[in-house]
Amino acid sequence: MKYDRIYNFSAGPSMLPLPVLEEVHEELFNYRGSGQSVMEMSHRSKVFQGIHDEAKADLRALMGIPENYKILFIQGGATLQFSMIPMNLKKNGVFDYVVSGSWSNGAAKEAARFGKVNVVANSKDRNYAYVPDVSDLPISEDADYLYICENETIYGTTYQELPNTKGKILISDQSSMFLSKPVKVSDYGIIYGGVQKNVGPAGMAIVIIREDLIREDIDESVPVYLRYHVQDKGDSMYNTPNCWAIYFCGKVFKYLQSIGGLEAVHKNNVEKAKPLYDFLDQSKMFKGTVDKKDRSLMNVPFVTGDEELDAKVVAATKAAGFENLKGHRTVGGLRASIYNAMPKEGVVALVEFLKDFEAKHG
Ligand SMILES: *Cc1c(COP(=O)(O)O)cnc(C)c1O
């Protein structure tokens, strides 16, 4: 590959689109005649305000975000949202969670600091190898919201259909599927994601929140930075924002639009994941760990069933220039994260390698 780049299958931070990296490189020392890098400029400057406004407008167009939703850029990654959500949405102090893996489990645990958490469904019985049935959940009558992690980065599952929330607000952690396919924003109260999985450099979350959920009348003890109301009023610049991430993500929004928008991105992702899943389905050595119906297009965990052999495969892939394929310790085996920026050739090359490995060691 150009610049001697590797195929990086990391779950995040992960590959970024090369055309965007090149553009950033081009602008690094002197951003469009401003005489400075974006890293050096005041966040209160006209130039940066332009970058910020354009990024928001481009994301709104790309995702089709309705006018009654706000876009917030907040530091602290996706993890900070685990607590910001219950802190800001607490009315009755009852929070319903679907636990489909480590990330929703972590979010539920954090919410329990602020109220009563009801786990209305979970898939722990089979090590989170599937998404629980969410068609008729025992939603709490006084629940402030229903929370899901829509794509489980570690276990490699994804929702094919959204839960029946029975009128409650739906909150979705989309960190590892953000901008990987079109979503209907109006189905949600909040969509959020850490950007380092599929959009940009680490250190920021994008929060898309329905206006009426941004409340001023929340608990006095909530720190000022952690109030959606303050973030919104300050247009994500209550304090110095992650200017670099905003700039970079803005470029990715434009890039995704230029390649046909999210429909085209999704089509690419379907075509890209197919050779890997097809291989796993016919392989005698490797096997995907997730129920077919719930498979993620972004994160693909697979195992041989023999830990020693798993380790051997991981070492062999690394030696062949495929990086970060070691599975998460809770699943073992291997995991290929194949986000938007992973080219199809990378997946095809990996499959060829695994086929060859199986032929030699099977
Ligand atoms: C990575 C990840 C997180 C945590 O993101 P940070 O930005 O590191 O806080 C949360 N949820 C999901 C689904 C993730 O993949």
Side-chain angles (χ1 to χ4, degrees), residues 119-132:
V119 175
V120 290
N122 82 73
S123 49
K124 197 171 178 207
D125 60 329
R126 283 199 288 119
N127 199 30
Y128 304 117
Y130 65 102
V131 173

Side-chain angles (χ1 to χ4, degrees), residues 72-78 193-196 201-206 242-243 245-246 249:
L72 306 175
F73 301 125
I74 304 180
Q75 297 178 64
V195 297
Q196 76 278 20
M204 189 173 86
I206 296 177
N242 187 336
C243 302
I246 293 169
C249 290

Side-chain angles (χ1 to χ4, degrees), residues 69-80:
Y69 283 74
K70 294 294 185 75
I71 298 167
L72 306 175
F73 301 125
I74 304 180
Q75 297 178 64
T79 302
L80 186 58

Side-chain angles (χ1 to χ4, degrees), residues 231-246:
Q231 291 291 347
D232 175 43
K233 213 169 139 208
D235 193 16
S236 303
M237 289 201 238
Y238 169 76
N239 70 338
T240 318
N242 187 336
C243 302
W244 184 251
I246 293 169

Side-chain angles (χ1 to χ4, degrees), residues 38 41-56 71-75 204-205 224-225 227-244 246-247:
V38 174
M41 66 182 56
S42 162
H43 60 297
R44 305 285 177 205
S45 66
K46 244 198 186 124
V47 189
F48 186 75
Q49 188 67 52
I51 292 172
H52 183 260
D53 292 347
E54 206 167 306
K56 281 205 306 183
I71 298 167
L72 306 175
F73 301 125
I74 304 180
Q75 297 178 64
M204 189 173 86
V224 64
Y225 184 83
R227 294 167 175 255
Y228 288 134
H229 167 69
V230 171
Q231 291 291 347
D232 175 43
K233 213 169 139 208
D235 193 16
S236 303
M237 289 201 238
Y238 169 76
N239 70 338
T240 318
N242 187 336
C243 302
W244 184 251
I246 293 169
Y247 160 73

Side-chain angles (χ1 to χ4, degrees), residues 76-80 82 103 149 151 153 173 175-176 192 194 196-197:
T79 302
L80 186 58
F82 293 179
W103 293 115
C149 172
N151 186 84
T153 323
D173 176 357
S175 296
S176 48
Y192 78 93
Q196 76 278 20
K197 306 287 166 68

